Amino acid sequence: MKDSARGLALVSPTALYALAMLVAPMAAIVLFSFWTQDYLTLDTTLTFDNYREAVTDPIYGQLMVRSLYISGIVTAVTVVLAFPIAYYISFHVAPERKALWIFLVTIPFWTSYLIRVFLWKVILGFNGVLNTSLLGLGIIDAPLTFILYNLNAVVITLAHAFAPFAILPIFVVLERIDRSLLEAAQDLGETALTTFWRVTLPLAMPGVIAAVLIVFIPTVGDYITPRLVGGPGGLMIANMIQTQFLRLNNAPMGATLAVLAMVCVTVIALVFLWLNRRFLRGRN
Amino acid sequence: MSALIALSGAQKYFGAYHALRDIDLEIGEGEFFSLLGPSGCGKTTLLRAIAGFEALDGGSVHIDGHDMAGVPANRRPTNMVFQSYAIFPHLSVAENVAFGLRKRGLDAKTQAEKVGGALEMVGLGGYGARAAHALSGGQRQRVALARALVLEPKVLLLDEPLSALDRKMREQMQGELRRLQRHVGITFILVTHDQEEALIMSDRIAVMFDGGITQIDSPEGLYRRPASREVGAFIGQMNFLSGQVRSGSEGFVAQIHGLGHAPLAADQSAEPLVAGQATFGMRPESLSLVFDGQARAASEAAGRVADRAYYGDMTYYEVALDGVAEPVTLSMKNMVGQPVLSVGDAARVAWDPRALIVFSGAGDA
Ligand SMILES: Nc1ncnc2c1ncn2[C@@H]1O[C@H](COP(=O)(O)OP(=O)(O)OP(=O)(O)O)[C@@H](O)[C@H]1O
Ligand SMILES: [Mg+2]
C-alpha cells in the first residue's frame, strides 16, 4: 500500500509530462479527425465524413500505399545491409576494438538529420558530386536522373539515415549468442554456412525484428526526406498531412489521415511483434 | 596396438604461451580415457585439438589411422559434449537431438525412432517436445549426451561435463556415464580436474601439468606408483618424508629421518633406484595408529596428535612424529572398540615399508 503510493509519487512527474506532451495531443488529433472544416469555419459535430472521404478518394489511398511501400523497401535495404556490418563487428572485430567500431557507426548522428538530407541532395543532384565524378571519369555520358527527385532518392537517403538504428539491435543479439553453440553445430556436422542458417540467424531474429520495427515505424511518417529529395513522385502520406494542416487549412482532414496512418503502422507493428514472440519462445 | 586416436609431438601456442608441449598419446578403441590436471594446464586445448577446433602448431593427430591435419570439426568422427552443454535454445529437446541427423538422409520415422532411442538411453524418454530452456542442469547434460551419441561417433569427447552439477547429481551421473560407455562401447575421452572423478570412471588417465603429460596409467597405477611428487600430491593425499637411499648387501635400503630404515623393492620407484638423497612418499592409509595393548609393529614411530578431522567412518589425523619436521597425515577406519584420539594425545604410528614410494632427489619436505 505504502510502496505503491511511493511508486506512484515517483512516476507521477514523468507520467504527467507524458500525459501533457503525448496523450493530450493524440486525443486532440483523434477528436479533430471527427470534426469537419469548410474553409474557415470549423464544424464540431462528430461525423465520419473525413474517414469516408479518405477511403473513397484514391489520392489518399495511393499515398498511403506508396508510403508503406517506400518504408518497406527502406526497411529491407537497411536491415539487409546492417546485418553484415553488425555481424562483422560482433564476430570479426577484436573485443577491445568493438566499442570503437560502435562509436564509428554512430558518427552520422553528429550532424542533424536535415543537413544529412541536404548532403544527399548535393551528392545525388543533376550537377551533384556523383554525376560530376562519373562524368569526369567517363563512365557515363549524360548525368543520371533516376537518382534524385524520385522514389530512389528517398530510399537511399532514408536507408543511410536509419542504418545505425538497425545495426545496433542486431549487434546486441549477435553479441549475446553463446559461441559454443556455433562450435556445437559444427561439431554435429554443419559447415560454417549451414551453421549460420540453422543457428546464428534464428537466434539473431529478435534483433532483426527489432531493427525492422525501429526503421519501419518512423520512416512511414517521415516528411523531410520525401519533401527535399523525393520530387512529385516520391511524396509520402506525411507530406499530405502537412499540406492538409498548413496549406489547405483542413486540420480535420489532416488529423484523419494521421489517425489512419497510425492505424496502419500499428497493425503492421503488431504482426512483427507477434513474429518476435514466436522467435523469443524458447529463450529465457 | 593399433590406437584409435594417436597424437604425436603435438604442440600448440597461443601467441607466446606454450599451451601444449610435445604431447604423445595413444587411446584405444572402446577405452574410457581421462585427461586430468589442474585448471589452466591445457586439457580443454588438447580436447579441442582432437575435435578439430584448434589447429596444432606442430605434431599430428590421427584418428582411426587418418591424419586429421586440415580436417575441420564437422568432418571428424568425433562428437563433443561441451562444458556449457551448448543446447540450442531455439529448438525443442527432440530437435536438439536430431540436429546432427539431418545430413544422414533418414526418413522421418527412422529419425524419430533414433531420437526417441537416444533420449530413452539417457533417461529422458518422453521429454522430446519440451523446450530446451525448460530443463534442469542435469537434464541439459543428458540432452547434450544424447545429441552426440545418436550420431554414433567413434569418439565422444567430454569437457568437464559434470562440473556444473551438485554433488549428489554428479555422483549419480558418474555411474550412469560409465554404464553408458560400457553399453555403447564408444571411446570416451573425459576432461576433468577432479581426481576422484577420474579415478572412479576411467580405464586409463593422463595427468597433465603446464601443457605437458606427466604420466599415463591406470587409476591403480597412478595411485600406487606416481611417477613424480607432483602426480603423487595431485592424486589423493601423500606425505613426503626426506631421507636417503643406501645400497646394502641385500639390495637398496630406505633411511628415513625420524622413522628408521626399511628394505626397498625395485618397483617402489618410477626410475631405477640409486643411492643418494631421496624423498619418500607415503599414503595416509599406509600409516596407522597402534593402540595400547596391541602388539608392537615392525616399523613404528612415536609422536603426538597435532590435528584431527572426524568423518564418521574415517578419522584423519595429523601426527607430529618425534624427529620429523612436518606432521604426517594418516587415516584410520573407525572400528567399534577402538578409541578416537584427541588433539594432544600421545600416539604410536606403524607404517608399512612396502607402501613407500621413492622419488629421487632431496625435497623440501
Ligand atoms: N584462445 C586462447 N587464446 C589464448 N590463450 C588461451 C586460449 N585458450 C586457452 N588459452 C590458455 O591456454 C591455457 C590452457 O587453457 P585450457 O582451457 O586448455 O585449460 P584447462 O586445462 O582446460 O583449464 P580448466 O580446467 O580451467 O578448464 C590457459 O592458460 C589459457 O589461458
Ligand atoms: Mg577447460
PDB file of all heavy atoms in Angstrom, chain B residues 179-203:
ATOM      1  N   ARG B 179      28.342 -46.658 -17.113  1.00  0.00           N
ATOM      2  CA  ARG B 179      27.481 -47.735 -17.613  1.00  0.00           C
ATOM      3  C   ARG B 179      27.186 -47.538 -19.091  1.00  0.00           C
ATOM      4  O   ARG B 179      27.256 -48.475 -19.888  1.00  0.00           O
ATOM      5  CB  ARG B 179      26.162 -47.761 -16.837  1.00  0.00           C
ATOM      6  CG  ARG B 179      26.158 -48.721 -15.664  1.00  0.00           C
ATOM      7  CD  ARG B 179      24.748 -48.957 -15.164  1.00  0.00           C
ATOM      8  NE  ARG B 179      24.127 -47.733 -14.671  1.00  0.00           N
ATOM      9  CZ  ARG B 179      24.406 -47.188 -13.488  1.00  0.00           C
ATOM     10  NH1 ARG B 179      25.299 -47.741 -12.683  1.00  0.00           N
ATOM     11  NH2 ARG B 179      23.825 -46.083 -13.093  1.00  0.00           N
ATOM     12  N   LEU B 180      26.879 -46.284 -19.436  1.00  0.00           N
ATOM     13  CA  LEU B 180      26.551 -45.950 -20.820  1.00  0.00           C
ATOM     14  C   LEU B 180      27.729 -46.261 -21.726  1.00  0.00           C
ATOM     15  O   LEU B 180      27.567 -46.826 -22.808  1.00  0.00           O
ATOM     16  CB  LEU B 180      26.241 -44.455 -20.879  1.00  0.00           C
ATOM     17  CG  LEU B 180      25.483 -43.961 -22.087  1.00  0.00           C
ATOM     18  CD1 LEU B 180      24.089 -44.563 -22.074  1.00  0.00           C
ATOM     19  CD2 LEU B 180      25.381 -42.444 -22.039  1.00  0.00           C
ATOM     20  N   GLN B 181      28.927 -45.921 -21.275  1.00  0.00           N
ATOM     21  CA  GLN B 181      30.112 -46.145 -22.093  1.00  0.00           C
ATOM     22  C   GLN B 181      30.313 -47.635 -22.332  1.00  0.00           C
ATOM     23  O   GLN B 181      30.607 -48.068 -23.427  1.00  0.00           O
ATOM     24  CB  GLN B 181      31.337 -45.522 -21.423  1.00  0.00           C
ATOM     25  CG  GLN B 181      32.552 -45.430 -22.325  1.00  0.00           C
ATOM     26  CD  GLN B 181      33.474 -46.623 -22.188  1.00  0.00           C
ATOM     27  OE1 GLN B 181      33.405 -47.339 -21.189  1.00  0.00           O
ATOM     28  NE2 GLN B 181      34.306 -46.836 -23.176  1.00  0.00           N
ATOM     29  N   ARG B 182      30.118 -48.452 -21.284  1.00  0.00           N
ATOM     30  CA  ARG B 182      30.249 -49.904 -21.456  1.00  0.00           C
ATOM     31  C   ARG B 182      29.198 -50.410 -22.433  1.00  0.00           C
ATOM     32  O   ARG B 182      29.453 -51.266 -23.264  1.00  0.00           O
ATOM     33  CB  ARG B 182      30.065 -50.605 -20.103  1.00  0.00           C
ATOM     34  CG  ARG B 182      31.212 -50.350 -19.173  1.00  0.00           C
ATOM     35  CD  ARG B 182      31.433 -51.528 -18.223  1.00  0.00           C
ATOM     36  NE  ARG B 182      32.440 -51.170 -17.242  1.00  0.00           N
ATOM     37  CZ  ARG B 182      32.145 -50.718 -16.026  1.00  0.00           C
ATOM     38  NH1 ARG B 182      30.892 -50.631 -15.620  1.00  0.00           N
ATOM     39  NH2 ARG B 182      33.112 -50.380 -15.200  1.00  0.00           N
ATOM     40  N   HIS B 183      27.993 -49.818 -22.321  1.00  0.00           N
ATOM     41  CA  HIS B 183      26.869 -50.262 -23.133  1.00  0.00           C
ATOM     42  C   HIS B 183      27.089 -49.955 -24.614  1.00  0.00           C
ATOM     43  O   HIS B 183      26.916 -50.816 -25.475  1.00  0.00           O
ATOM     44  CB  HIS B 183      25.601 -49.582 -22.619  1.00  0.00           C
ATOM     45  CG  HIS B 183      24.389 -49.856 -23.440  1.00  0.00           C
ATOM     46  ND1 HIS B 183      23.840 -51.114 -23.538  1.00  0.00           N
ATOM     47  CD2 HIS B 183      23.624 -49.044 -24.211  1.00  0.00           C
ATOM     48  CE1 HIS B 183      22.788 -51.059 -24.342  1.00  0.00           C
ATOM     49  NE2 HIS B 183      22.645 -49.826 -24.760  1.00  0.00           N
ATOM     50  N   VAL B 184      27.490 -48.716 -24.949  1.00  0.00           N
ATOM     51  CA  VAL B 184      27.636 -48.344 -26.354  1.00  0.00           C
ATOM     52  C   VAL B 184      29.006 -48.707 -26.910  1.00  0.00           C
ATOM     53  O   VAL B 184      29.174 -48.801 -28.129  1.00  0.00           O
ATOM     54  CB  VAL B 184      27.364 -46.838 -26.601  1.00  0.00           C
ATOM     55  CG1 VAL B 184      25.930 -46.491 -26.291  1.00  0.00           C
ATOM     56  CG2 VAL B 184      28.308 -45.972 -25.789  1.00  0.00           C
ATOM     57  N   GLY B 185      29.991 -48.885 -26.038  1.00  0.00           N
ATOM     58  CA  GLY B 185      31.312 -49.321 -26.478  1.00  0.00           C
ATOM     59  C   GLY B 185      32.095 -48.284 -27.254  1.00  0.00           C
ATOM     60  O   GLY B 185      33.067 -48.602 -27.935  1.00  0.00           O
ATOM     61  N   ILE B 186      31.659 -47.012 -27.170  1.00  0.00           N
ATOM     62  CA  ILE B 186      32.368 -45.935 -27.866  1.00  0.00           C
ATOM     63  C   ILE B 186      33.535 -45.464 -26.994  1.00  0.00           C
ATOM     64  O   ILE B 186      33.457 -45.527 -25.774  1.00  0.00           O
ATOM     65  CB  ILE B 186      31.392 -44.769 -28.130  1.00  0.00           C
ATOM     66  CG1 ILE B 186      30.342 -45.195 -29.147  1.00  0.00           C
ATOM     67  CG2 ILE B 186      32.103 -43.514 -28.577  1.00  0.00           C
ATOM     68  CD1 ILE B 186      29.221 -44.193 -29.319  1.00  0.00           C
ATOM     69  N   THR B 187      34.603 -45.012 -27.634  1.00  0.00           N
ATOM     70  CA  THR B 187      35.721 -44.441 -26.875  1.00  0.00           C
ATOM     71  C   THR B 187      35.286 -43.111 -26.268  1.00  0.00           C
ATOM     72  O   THR B 187      34.759 -42.248 -26.971  1.00  0.00           O
ATOM     73  CB  THR B 187      36.917 -44.205 -27.807  1.00  0.00           C
ATOM     74  OG1 THR B 187      37.261 -45.443 -28.410  1.00  0.00           O
ATOM     75  CG2 THR B 187      38.111 -43.657 -27.043  1.00  0.00           C
ATOM     76  N   PHE B 188      35.487 -42.973 -24.966  1.00  0.00           N
ATOM     77  CA  PHE B 188      35.170 -41.711 -24.286  1.00  0.00           C
ATOM     78  C   PHE B 188      36.472 -41.046 -23.870  1.00  0.00           C
ATOM     79  O   PHE B 188      37.344 -41.712 -23.317  1.00  0.00           O
ATOM     80  CB  PHE B 188      34.348 -41.962 -23.003  1.00  0.00           C
ATOM     81  CG  PHE B 188      32.867 -42.116 -23.214  1.00  0.00           C
ATOM     82  CD1 PHE B 188      32.362 -42.734 -24.341  1.00  0.00           C
ATOM     83  CD2 PHE B 188      31.971 -41.654 -22.254  1.00  0.00           C
ATOM     84  CE1 PHE B 188      30.988 -42.896 -24.513  1.00  0.00           C
ATOM     85  CE2 PHE B 188      30.596 -41.807 -22.416  1.00  0.00           C
ATOM     86  CZ  PHE B 188      30.105 -42.428 -23.546  1.00  0.00           C
ATOM     87  N   ILE B 189      36.601 -39.763 -24.136  1.00  0.00           N
ATOM     88  CA  ILE B 189      37.722 -39.001 -23.581  1.00  0.00           C
ATOM     89  C   ILE B 189      37.122 -37.914 -22.704  1.00  0.00           C
ATOM     90  O   ILE B 189      36.382 -37.053 -23.171  1.00  0.00           O
ATOM     91  CB  ILE B 189      38.598 -38.363 -24.676  1.00  0.00           C
ATOM     92  CG1 ILE B 189      39.084 -39.451 -25.639  1.00  0.00           C
ATOM     93  CG2 ILE B 189      39.789 -37.650 -24.039  1.00  0.00           C
ATOM     94  CD1 ILE B 189      39.993 -38.934 -26.728  1.00  0.00           C
ATOM     95  N   LEU B 190      37.413 -38.004 -21.425  1.00  0.00           N
ATOM     96  CA  LEU B 190      36.799 -37.123 -20.440  1.00  0.00           C
ATOM     97  C   LEU B 190      37.849 -36.160 -19.902  1.00  0.00           C
ATOM     98  O   LEU B 190      38.924 -36.577 -19.479  1.00  0.00           O
ATOM     99  CB  LEU B 190      36.245 -37.973 -19.294  1.00  0.00           C
ATOM    100  CG  LEU B 190      35.714 -37.229 -18.076  1.00  0.00           C
ATOM    101  CD1 LEU B 190      34.312 -36.715 -18.340  1.00  0.00           C
ATOM    102  CD2 LEU B 190      35.708 -38.115 -16.850  1.00  0.00           C
ATOM    103  N   VAL B 191      37.520 -34.880 -19.932  1.00  0.00           N
ATOM    104  CA  VAL B 191      38.396 -33.889 -19.297  1.00  0.00           C
ATOM    105  C   VAL B 191      37.847 -33.594 -17.917  1.00  0.00           C
ATOM    106  O   VAL B 191      36.642 -33.398 -17.753  1.00  0.00           O
ATOM    107  CB  VAL B 191      38.425 -32.591 -20.134  1.00  0.00           C
ATOM    108  CG1 VAL B 191      38.886 -31.423 -19.288  1.00  0.00           C
ATOM    109  CG2 VAL B 191      39.327 -32.757 -21.325  1.00  0.00           C
ATOM    110  N   THR B 192      38.708 -33.604 -16.921  1.00  0.00           N
ATOM    111  CA  THR B 192      38.240 -33.288 -15.583  1.00  0.00           C
ATOM    112  C   THR B 192      39.395 -32.742 -14.766  1.00  0.00           C
ATOM    113  O   THR B 192      40.553 -33.014 -15.054  1.00  0.00           O
ATOM    114  CB  THR B 192      37.619 -34.520 -14.888  1.00  0.00           C
ATOM    115  OG1 THR B 192      37.226 -34.155 -13.574  1.00  0.00           O
ATOM    116  CG2 THR B 192      38.582 -35.687 -14.831  1.00  0.00           C
ATOM    117  N   HIS B 193      39.072 -31.915 -13.772  1.00  0.00           N
ATOM    118  CA  HIS B 193      40.134 -31.521 -12.844  1.00  0.00           C
ATOM    119  C   HIS B 193      39.888 -32.181 -11.485  1.00  0.00           C
ATOM    120  O   HIS B 193      40.556 -31.893 -10.515  1.00  0.00           O
ATOM    121  CB  HIS B 193      40.244 -29.998 -12.720  1.00  0.00           C
ATOM    122  CG  HIS B 193      39.003 -29.343 -12.203  1.00  0.00           C
ATOM    123  ND1 HIS B 193      38.227 -28.519 -12.968  1.00  0.00           N
ATOM    124  CD2 HIS B 193      38.401 -29.427 -11.020  1.00  0.00           C
ATOM    125  CE1 HIS B 193      37.187 -28.117 -12.262  1.00  0.00           C
ATOM    126  NE2 HIS B 193      37.270 -28.663 -11.074  1.00  0.00           N
ATOM    127  N   ASP B 194      38.885 -33.074 -11.455  1.00  0.00           N
ATOM    128  CA  ASP B 194      38.513 -33.748 -10.215  1.00  0.00           C
ATOM    129  C   ASP B 194      39.158 -35.134 -10.221  1.00  0.00           C
ATOM    130  O   ASP B 194      38.749 -36.026 -10.964  1.00  0.00           O
ATOM    131  CB  ASP B 194      36.981 -33.835 -10.176  1.00  0.00           C
ATOM    132  CG  ASP B 194      36.480 -34.526  -8.921  1.00  0.00           C
ATOM    133  OD1 ASP B 194      37.304 -35.130  -8.212  1.00  0.00           O
ATOM    134  OD2 ASP B 194      35.263 -34.466  -8.679  1.00  0.00           O
ATOM    135  N   GLN B 195      40.189 -35.313  -9.412  1.00  0.00           N
ATOM    136  CA  GLN B 195      40.956 -36.563  -9.447  1.00  0.00           C
ATOM    137  C   GLN B 195      40.088 -37.755  -9.041  1.00  0.00           C
ATOM    138  O   GLN B 195      40.217 -38.841  -9.602  1.00  0.00           O
ATOM    139  CB  GLN B 195      42.194 -36.463  -8.556  1.00  0.00           C
ATOM    140  CG  GLN B 195      41.976 -35.849  -7.198  1.00  0.00           C
ATOM    141  CD  GLN B 195      41.996 -36.866  -6.086  1.00  0.00           C
ATOM    142  OE1 GLN B 195      42.256 -38.032  -6.300  1.00  0.00           O
ATOM    143  NE2 GLN B 195      41.711 -36.399  -4.878  1.00  0.00           N
ATOM    144  N   GLU B 196      39.145 -37.517  -8.119  1.00  0.00           N
ATOM    145  CA  GLU B 196      38.281 -38.613  -7.689  1.00  0.00           C
ATOM    146  C   GLU B 196      37.442 -39.117  -8.862  1.00  0.00           C
ATOM    147  O   GLU B 196      37.316 -40.319  -9.100  1.00  0.00           O
ATOM    148  CB  GLU B 196      37.371 -38.097  -6.581  1.00  0.00           C
ATOM    149  CG  GLU B 196      36.924 -39.127  -5.595  1.00  0.00           C
ATOM    150  CD  GLU B 196      36.245 -38.433  -4.437  1.00  0.00           C
ATOM    151  OE1 GLU B 196      36.936 -38.038  -3.481  1.00  0.00           O
ATOM    152  OE2 GLU B 196      35.014 -38.267  -4.515  1.00  0.00           O
ATOM    153  N   GLU B 197      36.885 -38.147  -9.627  1.00  0.00           N
ATOM    154  CA  GLU B 197      36.070 -38.486 -10.777  1.00  0.00           C
ATOM    155  C   GLU B 197      36.879 -39.303 -11.796  1.00  0.00           C
ATOM    156  O   GLU B 197      36.409 -40.309 -12.323  1.00  0.00           O
ATOM    157  CB  GLU B 197      35.589 -37.180 -11.423  1.00  0.00           C
ATOM    158  CG  GLU B 197      34.640 -37.351 -12.562  1.00  0.00           C
ATOM    159  CD  GLU B 197      34.020 -36.003 -12.925  1.00  0.00           C
ATOM    160  OE1 GLU B 197      33.297 -35.445 -12.078  1.00  0.00           O
ATOM    161  OE2 GLU B 197      34.270 -35.512 -14.031  1.00  0.00           O
ATOM    162  N   ALA B 198      38.110 -38.861 -12.032  1.00  0.00           N
ATOM    163  CA  ALA B 198      38.954 -39.579 -12.989  1.00  0.00           C
ATOM    164  C   ALA B 198      39.228 -41.001 -12.496  1.00  0.00           C
ATOM    165  O   ALA B 198      39.157 -41.964 -13.275  1.00  0.00           O
ATOM    166  CB  ALA B 198      40.264 -38.822 -13.193  1.00  0.00           C
ATOM    167  N   LEU B 199      39.515 -41.160 -11.221  1.00  0.00           N
ATOM    168  CA  LEU B 199      39.826 -42.486 -10.678  1.00  0.00           C
ATOM    169  C   LEU B 199      38.616 -43.410 -10.786  1.00  0.00           C
ATOM    170  O   LEU B 199      38.731 -44.571 -11.167  1.00  0.00           O
ATOM    171  CB  LEU B 199      40.259 -42.387  -9.210  1.00  0.00           C
ATOM    172  CG  LEU B 199      41.617 -41.736  -8.955  1.00  0.00           C
ATOM    173  CD1 LEU B 199      41.879 -41.606  -7.458  1.00  0.00           C
ATOM    174  CD2 LEU B 199      42.731 -42.526  -9.617  1.00  0.00           C
ATOM    175  N   ILE B 200      37.435 -42.873 -10.453  1.00  0.00           N
ATOM    176  CA  ILE B 200      36.227 -43.700 -10.445  1.00  0.00           C
ATOM    177  C   ILE B 200      35.895 -44.199 -11.849  1.00  0.00           C
ATOM    178  O   ILE B 200      35.524 -45.349 -12.041  1.00  0.00           O
ATOM    179  CB  ILE B 200      35.028 -42.887  -9.896  1.00  0.00           C
ATOM    180  CG1 ILE B 200      35.218 -42.589  -8.415  1.00  0.00           C
ATOM    181  CG2 ILE B 200      33.720 -43.613 -10.144  1.00  0.00           C
ATOM    182  CD1 ILE B 200      34.197 -41.614  -7.873  1.00  0.00           C
ATOM    183  N   MET B 201      36.031 -43.307 -12.847  1.00  0.00           N
ATOM    184  CA  MET B 201      35.420 -43.611 -14.136  1.00  0.00           C
ATOM    185  C   MET B 201      36.346 -44.215 -15.179  1.00  0.00           C
ATOM    186  O   MET B 201      35.884 -44.894 -16.079  1.00  0.00           O
ATOM    187  CB  MET B 201      34.812 -42.327 -14.712  1.00  0.00           C
ATOM    188  CG  MET B 201      33.734 -41.771 -13.799  1.00  0.00           C
ATOM    189  SD  MET B 201      33.129 -40.203 -14.347  1.00  0.00           S
ATOM    190  CE  MET B 201      32.142 -40.702 -15.725  1.00  0.00           C
ATOM    191  N   SER B 202      37.650 -43.969 -15.086  1.00  0.00           N
ATOM    192  CA  SER B 202      38.500 -44.220 -16.247  1.00  0.00           C
ATOM    193  C   SER B 202      39.118 -45.606 -16.297  1.00  0.00           C
ATOM    194  O   SER B 202      39.368 -46.238 -15.279  1.00  0.00           O
ATOM    195  CB  SER B 202      39.641 -43.206 -16.268  1.00  0.00           C
ATOM    196  OG  SER B 202      39.211 -41.976 -15.792  1.00  0.00           O
ATOM    197  N   ASP B 203      39.405 -46.050 -17.533  1.00  0.00           N
ATOM    198  CA  ASP B 203      40.300 -47.188 -17.733  1.00  0.00           C
ATOM    199  C   ASP B 203      41.743 -46.718 -17.590  1.00  0.00           C
ATOM    200  O   ASP B 203      42.557 -47.379 -16.965  1.00  0.00           O
ATOM    201  CB  ASP B 203      40.107 -47.787 -19.130  1.00  0.00           C
ATOM    202  CG  ASP B 203      38.721 -48.373 -19.304  1.00  0.00           C
ATOM    203  OD1 ASP B 203      38.228 -48.975 -18.329  1.00  0.00           O
ATOM    204  OD2 ASP B 203      38.127 -48.210 -20.381  1.00  0.00           O
TER     205      ASP B 203
END
